[in-house]
Amino acid sequence: MEKRKYYQPEIETMPREELKKLQSEKLVKQVKHVYDNVAYYREKMDKMGVKPEDIHGIEDLHKLPFIEKSDLRDTYPDGMLAVPREEVVRIHSTSGTTGRRVIAYYTQHDIDLWEDCCARAIVAVGADKEDIIQVSYGYGLFTGGSGLHGGSHKVGCMTIPMSSGNTERQIQFMTDLGATVLCCTPSYAAYLGESLKEMGYTPDTIPLKAGIFGAEPWTASMRKSIEETLGIKAYDIYGLTEISGPGVSFECAEQGGMHVNEDHFIAEIINPETGEPLPYGEKGELVFTCLDKEAFPMLRYRTRDICVLNAEPCPCGRTHIRMSKPMGRSDDMMIIRGVNVFPSQIESVLLNEGFSPNYQIKLGRVNNNDTFDVYVELPAEQFDDSVKTIAEKERTLKDAMRNMLGIGPSVHLVPPKTIARSEGKAVRIIDERKLHD
């Protein structure tokens, strides 16, 4: 029997003119819903002199004010809630590492639509109800586990709700139950691959055929490494708590970008400095508007992710636009000794030079000067405790980073498994400079 190509074909392949008309109808209703029920956003609109009746369709989207993470922190815990609390059936929350946590609220309707989005992503990797999906994203307040878990149920797959951690048990269930699709962060997928290899498994003996990986940046080189180790095809998925969670966009088999679920979310690219909308094909900051969400409906939410939108037809038949992998962020860019540095640049150098994707950046300040250290783990097959050999490799890597970044960090190559593995999002940057200001 031929596998399903789409979860909701009538929507995923909808002609673009019909899709735009649907978006416009939903936007008009959503703006009124937010204006009537969220005092904070109503005040923002009033200050701009915009009323719901001024929004006739997506062509008027640019008239609406932006929402930023600072707005969500300022209205903590429920100042952006657009329905009575008794209609809320669940919350999720961001990590809160740089400020107050952001709490996202969901009605049952919101969860149903979110799970549909995740189901589309699962079917897009070739899965159906005969597949066994191991969900190794964290559960709880983090959106990853719950989103893919619900999507897996919608498709009808047997779901293994592993959550993150306990790698020995992960591998036992994966091999004993014959899991065919793995859902987790790319750094944890890489770690599982390392662990399986150490236990004597080869790609031919691992039951997996596909992986859905997201929640942190990863490069093409890291994708290739995971695919080779696990014997799978690795797919990207994108989402953020403020918008719903994973499934805002996802890769199809063509892997030419991630299809945005445009019947639920309008994607824009703006100039991060001016806020002006940019055309498809230009690089800028990604902004999302939620069209269906009842409890926590963001209008023009600035994600701070830098990417490109592509409206060209995709060979897979889906008509929804595609977004590139985020190319960094407009707000987590590091400024080191006056130089703009993105973590993705450092990861790119590491992987291009054949080093491990397990690394950590530590920033400090001594005598008002920035210190910039990069710790990189050597895989077991490359590890050599000869001081001379290690020093030569460190010099090579430092030179490659200087060529890419314009500044050279202090590089420290460390033995295998000395950098803590991530079971949630990888902690790549430790910036201690603020402690000394």
Side-chain angles (χ1 to χ4, degrees):
M1 192 172 78
E2 188 179 352
K3 283 187 176 291
R4 292 167 66 182
K5 192 173 180 182
Y6 315 105
Y7 175 67
Q8 293 170 314
E10 69 287 351
I11 298 170
E12 295 178 66
T13 63
M14 183 179 284
R16 287 214 57 82
E17 286 308 309
E18 286 183 36
L19 187 55
K20 289 177 182 177
K21 184 181 176 186
L22 177 65
Q23 286 182 322
S24 288
E25 291 170 358
K26 288 186 174 185
L27 179 65
V28 170
K29 291 179 184 175
Q30 186 71 300
V31 170
K32 184 169 181 359
H33 170 59
V34 173
Y35 187 87
D36 289 347
N37 294 289
V38 182
Y40 185 87
Y41 200 80
R42 180 165 63 248
E43 289 168 14
K44 271 185 166 283
M45 285 182 63
D46 287 346
K47 279 181 186 174
M48 293 181 68
V50 182
K51 299 291 184 186
E53 49 268 28
D54 298 324
I55 307 302
H56 304 286
I58 55 174
E59 67 277 5
D60 296 319
L61 185 64
H62 67 280
K63 298 177 182 177
L64 295 170
F66 293 111
I67 285 290
E68 303 186 33
K69 186 163 275 192
S70 60
D71 294 305
L72 305 186
R73 290 182 180 134
D74 290 345
T75 56
Y76 176 92
D78 59 3
M80 297 295 285
L81 183 59
V83 297
R85 273 203 179 190
E86 55 266 30
E87 293 182 25
V88 174
V89 298
R90 192 196 299 170
I91 68 148
H92 284 284
S93 178
T94 60
S95 59
T97 52
T98 56
R100 277 181 173 175
R101 284 182 175 271
V102 170
I103 296 177
Y105 296 85
Y106 301 75
T107 65
Q108 186 57 53
H109 175 72
D110 294 337
I111 288 173
D112 287 340
L113 295 185
W114 175 26
E115 291 177 349
D116 282 343
C117 290
C118 290
R120 292 178 192 177
I122 289 167
V123 172
V125 310
D128 61 19
K129 65 180 182 179
E130 296 176 7
D131 283 281
I132 298 169
I133 296 192
Q134 184 154 327
V135 182
S136 300
Y137 284 109
Y139 282 65
L141 291 173
F142 179 55
T143 55
S146 298
L148 272 303
H149 180 105
S152 175
H153 280 209
K154 286 276 181 103
V155 177
C157 308
M158 185 171 101
T159 310
I160 308 174
M162 292 300 301
S163 192
S164 56
N166 200 330
T167 300
E168 188 177 323
R169 187 174 62 192
Q170 297 270 1
I171 291 172
Q172 179 190 345
F173 275 68
M174 179 190 298
T175 53
D176 289 353
L177 295 176
T180 55
V181 180
L182 174 65
C183 304
C184 64
T185 61
S187 59
Y188 195 53
Y191 181 49
L192 284 171
E194 286 175 20
S195 301
L196 282 157
K197 188 176 180 181
E198 287 174 4
M199 294 170 69
Y201 287 93
T202 65
D204 292 340
T205 58
I206 297 169
L208 297 173
K209 64 182 184 183
I212 300 175
F213 307 130
E216 64 188 20
W218 54 309
T219 61
S221 301
M222 191 171 181
R223 185 205 295 263
K224 185 181 178 189
S225 174
I226 291 170
E227 288 182 335
E228 289 174 351
T229 307
L230 293 175
I232 63 171
K233 191 168 181 181
Y235 295 83
D236 213 343
I237 191 168
Y238 175 89
L240 56 168
T241 303
E242 296 87 342
I243 302 303
S244 68
V248 173
S249 66
F250 61 90
E251 275 189 321
C252 64
E254 298 297 325
Q255 297 191 316
M258 292 176 277
H259 288 280
V260 176
N261 282 309
E262 287 191 279
D263 55 318
H264 299 309
F265 314 104
I266 298 176
E268 299 175 84
I269 293 291
I270 64 166
N271 180 318
E273 301 297 326
T274 66
E276 288 300 307
L278 298 174
Y280 291 145
E282 288 201 26
K283 184 166 73 171
E285 182 182 336
L286 182 62
V287 173
F288 278 115
T289 293
C290 301
L291 292 171
D292 299 289
K293 282 188 73 177
E294 295 176 335
F296 198 65
M298 296 289 97
L299 300 183
R300 302 197 85 197
Y301 180 75
R302 295 185 63 161
T303 69
R304 300 296 180 181
D305 284 325
I306 302 294
C307 73
V308 174
L309 294 179
N310 177 6
E312 294 298 314
C314 182
C316 78
R318 290 176 179 82
T319 53
H320 297 203
I321 59 169
R322 288 164 286 164
M323 59 174 276
S324 68
K325 257 183 187 298
M327 303 166 182
R329 289 176 59 82
S330 63
D331 63 347
D332 75 356
M333 176 181 70
M334 299 174 286
I335 301 177
I336 306 169
R337 302 172 201 155
V339 177
N340 296 344
V341 176
F342 283 103
S344 55
Q345 292 174 300
I346 292 172
E347 182 171 346
S348 177
V349 171
L350 291 175
L351 291 165
N352 286 341
E353 294 293 325
F355 287 86
S356 167
N358 293 304
Y359 69 96
Q360 199 161 63
I361 301 159
K362 290 189 179 179
L363 304 175
R365 186 162 291 154
V366 177
N367 297 326
N368 294 318
N369 291 316
D370 288 342
T371 60
F372 179 19
D373 293 84
V374 179
Y375 294 81
V376 184
E377 187 179 282
L378 280 172
E381 61 267 26
Q382 290 183 23
F383 184 66
D384 184 336
D385 58 6
S386 157
V387 174
K388 182 179 177 183
T389 305
I390 296 289
E392 287 173 356
K393 289 179 177 178
E394 287 174 344
R395 274 195 300 274
T396 299
L397 191 48
K398 181 174 182 175
D399 290 342
M401 287 196 183
R402 183 183 284 112
N403 289 338
M404 164 69 83
L405 306 172
I407 56 174
S410 295
V411 174
H412 311 273
L413 296 177
V414 297
K417 301 205 170 179
T418 51
I419 293 177
R421 294 304 197 277
S422 170
E423 292 166 356
K425 289 192 181 185
V427 179
R428 297 297 193 201
I429 305 166
I430 299 175
D431 190 344
E432 298 176 332
R433 293 175 294 180
K434 295 182 177 64
L435 300 177
H436 308 293
D437 286 346

PDB file of all heavy atoms in Angstrom, residues 13-21 23 262 280 311 319-321:
ATOM      1  N   THR A  13      -1.690  21.395  -0.150  1.00  0.00           N
ATOM      2  CA  THR A  13      -1.485  21.643  -1.587  1.00  0.00           C
ATOM      3  C   THR A  13      -2.458  22.691  -2.134  1.00  0.00           C
ATOM      4  O   THR A  13      -2.644  22.815  -3.338  1.00  0.00           O
ATOM      5  CB  THR A  13      -1.649  20.331  -2.390  1.00  0.00           C
ATOM      6  OG1 THR A  13      -2.997  19.846  -2.234  1.00  0.00           O
ATOM      7  CG2 THR A  13      -0.686  19.257  -1.918  1.00  0.00           C
ATOM      8  N   MET A  14      -3.050  23.463  -1.254  1.00  0.00           N
ATOM      9  CA  MET A  14      -4.022  24.484  -1.649  1.00  0.00           C
ATOM     10  C   MET A  14      -3.380  25.520  -2.579  1.00  0.00           C
ATOM     11  O   MET A  14      -2.264  25.985  -2.315  1.00  0.00           O
ATOM     12  CB  MET A  14      -4.550  25.190  -0.388  1.00  0.00           C
ATOM     13  CG  MET A  14      -5.621  26.239  -0.643  1.00  0.00           C
ATOM     14  SD  MET A  14      -6.190  27.005   0.920  1.00  0.00           S
ATOM     15  CE  MET A  14      -7.221  25.687   1.573  1.00  0.00           C
ATOM     16  N   PRO A  15      -4.035  25.887  -3.686  1.00  0.00           N
ATOM     17  CA  PRO A  15      -3.490  26.937  -4.555  1.00  0.00           C
ATOM     18  C   PRO A  15      -3.209  28.209  -3.765  1.00  0.00           C
ATOM     19  O   PRO A  15      -3.970  28.564  -2.850  1.00  0.00           O
ATOM     20  CB  PRO A  15      -4.606  27.147  -5.589  1.00  0.00           C
ATOM     21  CG  PRO A  15      -5.348  25.850  -5.618  1.00  0.00           C
ATOM     22  CD  PRO A  15      -5.293  25.323  -4.216  1.00  0.00           C
ATOM     23  N   ARG A  16      -2.152  28.913  -4.118  1.00  0.00           N
ATOM     24  CA  ARG A  16      -1.707  30.043  -3.303  1.00  0.00           C
ATOM     25  C   ARG A  16      -2.755  31.152  -3.206  1.00  0.00           C
ATOM     26  O   ARG A  16      -2.889  31.786  -2.158  1.00  0.00           O
ATOM     27  CB  ARG A  16      -0.390  30.602  -3.838  1.00  0.00           C
ATOM     28  CG  ARG A  16       0.767  29.659  -3.518  1.00  0.00           C
ATOM     29  CD  ARG A  16       2.065  30.396  -3.254  1.00  0.00           C
ATOM     30  NE  ARG A  16       2.020  31.376  -2.190  1.00  0.00           N
ATOM     31  CZ  ARG A  16       2.141  31.117  -0.883  1.00  0.00           C
ATOM     32  NH1 ARG A  16       2.259  29.866  -0.462  1.00  0.00           N
ATOM     33  NH2 ARG A  16       2.125  32.100  -0.006  1.00  0.00           N
ATOM     34  N   GLU A  17      -3.494  31.396  -4.272  1.00  0.00           N
ATOM     35  CA  GLU A  17      -4.508  32.454  -4.191  1.00  0.00           C
ATOM     36  C   GLU A  17      -5.585  32.101  -3.171  1.00  0.00           C
ATOM     37  O   GLU A  17      -6.066  32.960  -2.432  1.00  0.00           O
ATOM     38  CB  GLU A  17      -5.122  32.706  -5.576  1.00  0.00           C
ATOM     39  CG  GLU A  17      -4.197  33.449  -6.528  1.00  0.00           C
ATOM     40  CD  GLU A  17      -3.639  34.736  -5.912  1.00  0.00           C
ATOM     41  OE1 GLU A  17      -4.427  35.549  -5.391  1.00  0.00           O
ATOM     42  OE2 GLU A  17      -2.398  34.916  -5.935  1.00  0.00           O
ATOM     43  N   GLU A  18      -5.972  30.820  -3.147  1.00  0.00           N
ATOM     44  CA  GLU A  18      -6.963  30.380  -2.149  1.00  0.00           C
ATOM     45  C   GLU A  18      -6.384  30.483  -0.743  1.00  0.00           C
ATOM     46  O   GLU A  18      -7.074  30.870   0.212  1.00  0.00           O
ATOM     47  CB  GLU A  18      -7.378  28.929  -2.426  1.00  0.00           C
ATOM     48  CG  GLU A  18      -8.292  28.758  -3.630  1.00  0.00           C
ATOM     49  CD  GLU A  18      -8.723  27.309  -3.796  1.00  0.00           C
ATOM     50  OE1 GLU A  18      -8.935  26.629  -2.762  1.00  0.00           O
ATOM     51  OE2 GLU A  18      -8.826  26.856  -4.955  1.00  0.00           O
ATOM     52  N   LEU A  19      -5.111  30.138  -0.616  1.00  0.00           N
ATOM     53  CA  LEU A  19      -4.448  30.185   0.686  1.00  0.00           C
ATOM     54  C   LEU A  19      -4.393  31.619   1.208  1.00  0.00           C
ATOM     55  O   LEU A  19      -4.669  31.891   2.379  1.00  0.00           O
ATOM     56  CB  LEU A  19      -3.037  29.596   0.558  1.00  0.00           C
ATOM     57  CG  LEU A  19      -2.229  29.401   1.845  1.00  0.00           C
ATOM     58  CD1 LEU A  19      -2.987  28.552   2.846  1.00  0.00           C
ATOM     59  CD2 LEU A  19      -0.879  28.768   1.521  1.00  0.00           C
ATOM     60  N   LYS A  20      -4.062  32.563   0.327  1.00  0.00           N
ATOM     61  CA  LYS A  20      -4.015  33.977   0.733  1.00  0.00           C
ATOM     62  C   LYS A  20      -5.405  34.474   1.144  1.00  0.00           C
ATOM     63  O   LYS A  20      -5.541  35.256   2.089  1.00  0.00           O
ATOM     64  CB  LYS A  20      -3.461  34.826  -0.412  1.00  0.00           C
ATOM     65  CG  LYS A  20      -1.966  34.618  -0.652  1.00  0.00           C
ATOM     66  CD  LYS A  20      -1.493  35.427  -1.856  1.00  0.00           C
ATOM     67  CE  LYS A  20      -0.024  35.178  -2.126  1.00  0.00           C
ATOM     68  NZ  LYS A  20       0.439  35.891  -3.336  1.00  0.00           N
ATOM     69  N   LYS A  21      -6.417  34.032   0.419  1.00  0.00           N
ATOM     70  CA  LYS A  21      -7.790  34.426   0.761  1.00  0.00           C
ATOM     71  C   LYS A  21      -8.172  33.879   2.141  1.00  0.00           C
ATOM     72  O   LYS A  21      -8.765  34.589   2.971  1.00  0.00           O
ATOM     73  CB  LYS A  21      -8.761  33.891  -0.298  1.00  0.00           C
ATOM     74  CG  LYS A  21     -10.205  34.322  -0.079  1.00  0.00           C
ATOM     75  CD  LYS A  21     -11.117  33.746  -1.156  1.00  0.00           C
ATOM     76  CE  LYS A  21     -12.580  34.103  -0.884  1.00  0.00           C
ATOM     77  NZ  LYS A  21     -13.498  33.438  -1.827  1.00  0.00           N
ATOM     78  N   GLN A  23      -6.057  33.119   4.556  1.00  0.00           N
ATOM     79  CA  GLN A  23      -5.287  33.878   5.541  1.00  0.00           C
ATOM     80  C   GLN A  23      -5.946  35.225   5.847  1.00  0.00           C
ATOM     81  O   GLN A  23      -6.016  35.643   7.006  1.00  0.00           O
ATOM     82  CB  GLN A  23      -3.864  34.113   5.026  1.00  0.00           C
ATOM     83  CG  GLN A  23      -2.966  32.889   5.048  1.00  0.00           C
ATOM     84  CD  GLN A  23      -1.565  33.222   4.559  1.00  0.00           C
ATOM     85  OE1 GLN A  23      -1.396  34.010   3.621  1.00  0.00           O
ATOM     86  NE2 GLN A  23      -0.555  32.638   5.177  1.00  0.00           N
ATOM     87  N   GLU A 262       1.096  27.710   6.577  1.00  0.00           N
ATOM     88  CA  GLU A 262       0.562  29.057   6.334  1.00  0.00           C
ATOM     89  C   GLU A 262      -0.933  29.208   6.583  1.00  0.00           C
ATOM     90  O   GLU A 262      -1.422  30.336   6.669  1.00  0.00           O
ATOM     91  CB  GLU A 262       0.871  29.478   4.892  1.00  0.00           C
ATOM     92  CG  GLU A 262       2.306  29.824   4.635  1.00  0.00           C
ATOM     93  CD  GLU A 262       2.460  30.472   3.280  1.00  0.00           C
ATOM     94  OE1 GLU A 262       2.506  29.724   2.274  1.00  0.00           O
ATOM     95  OE2 GLU A 262       2.507  31.711   3.211  1.00  0.00           O
ATOM     96  N   TYR A 280      10.174  38.279  -0.479  1.00  0.00           N
ATOM     97  CA  TYR A 280      10.678  36.912  -0.467  1.00  0.00           C
ATOM     98  C   TYR A 280      12.071  36.881  -1.102  1.00  0.00           C
ATOM     99  O   TYR A 280      12.343  37.589  -2.061  1.00  0.00           O
ATOM    100  CB  TYR A 280       9.760  35.984  -1.261  1.00  0.00           C
ATOM    101  CG  TYR A 280       8.399  35.744  -0.627  1.00  0.00           C
ATOM    102  CD1 TYR A 280       7.267  35.581  -1.424  1.00  0.00           C
ATOM    103  CD2 TYR A 280       8.244  35.678   0.748  1.00  0.00           C
ATOM    104  CE1 TYR A 280       6.017  35.351  -0.859  1.00  0.00           C
ATOM    105  CE2 TYR A 280       7.002  35.446   1.328  1.00  0.00           C
ATOM    106  CZ  TYR A 280       5.899  35.289   0.521  1.00  0.00           C
ATOM    107  OH  TYR A 280       4.662  35.063   1.075  1.00  0.00           O
ATOM    108  N   ALA A 311       9.230  31.461  -1.891  1.00  0.00           N
ATOM    109  CA  ALA A 311       7.862  31.203  -2.361  1.00  0.00           C
ATOM    110  C   ALA A 311       7.831  30.414  -3.664  1.00  0.00           C
ATOM    111  O   ALA A 311       6.764  30.220  -4.247  1.00  0.00           O
ATOM    112  CB  ALA A 311       7.127  32.524  -2.537  1.00  0.00           C
ATOM    113  N   THR A 319       2.243  23.711  -1.360  1.00  0.00           N
ATOM    114  CA  THR A 319       2.232  25.082  -1.884  1.00  0.00           C
ATOM    115  C   THR A 319       2.637  26.117  -0.840  1.00  0.00           C
ATOM    116  O   THR A 319       2.822  27.279  -1.161  1.00  0.00           O
ATOM    117  CB  THR A 319       0.824  25.429  -2.393  1.00  0.00           C
ATOM    118  OG1 THR A 319      -0.124  25.172  -1.338  1.00  0.00           O
ATOM    119  CG2 THR A 319       0.465  24.592  -3.613  1.00  0.00           C
ATOM    120  N   HIS A 320       2.787  25.691   0.414  1.00  0.00           N
ATOM    121  CA  HIS A 320       3.141  26.630   1.476  1.00  0.00           C
ATOM    122  C   HIS A 320       4.608  27.040   1.331  1.00  0.00           C
ATOM    123  O   HIS A 320       5.468  26.225   0.987  1.00  0.00           O
ATOM    124  CB  HIS A 320       2.898  26.000   2.848  1.00  0.00           C
ATOM    125  CG  HIS A 320       1.464  25.662   3.107  1.00  0.00           C
ATOM    126  ND1 HIS A 320       0.942  25.526   4.366  1.00  0.00           N
ATOM    127  CD2 HIS A 320       0.412  25.431   2.263  1.00  0.00           C
ATOM    128  CE1 HIS A 320      -0.346  25.236   4.302  1.00  0.00           C
ATOM    129  NE2 HIS A 320      -0.681  25.160   3.025  1.00  0.00           N
ATOM    130  N   ILE A 321       4.883  28.320   1.596  1.00  0.00           N
ATOM    131  CA  ILE A 321       6.245  28.829   1.438  1.00  0.00           C
ATOM    132  C   ILE A 321       7.216  28.083   2.353  1.00  0.00           C
ATOM    133  O   ILE A 321       6.816  27.465   3.341  1.00  0.00           O
ATOM    134  CB  ILE A 321       6.347  30.342   1.734  1.00  0.00           C
ATOM    135  CG1 ILE A 321       5.881  30.651   3.164  1.00  0.00           C
ATOM    136  CG2 ILE A 321       5.595  31.161   0.715  1.00  0.00           C
ATOM    137  CD1 ILE A 321       6.197  32.059   3.604  1.00  0.00           C
TER     138      ILE A 321
END
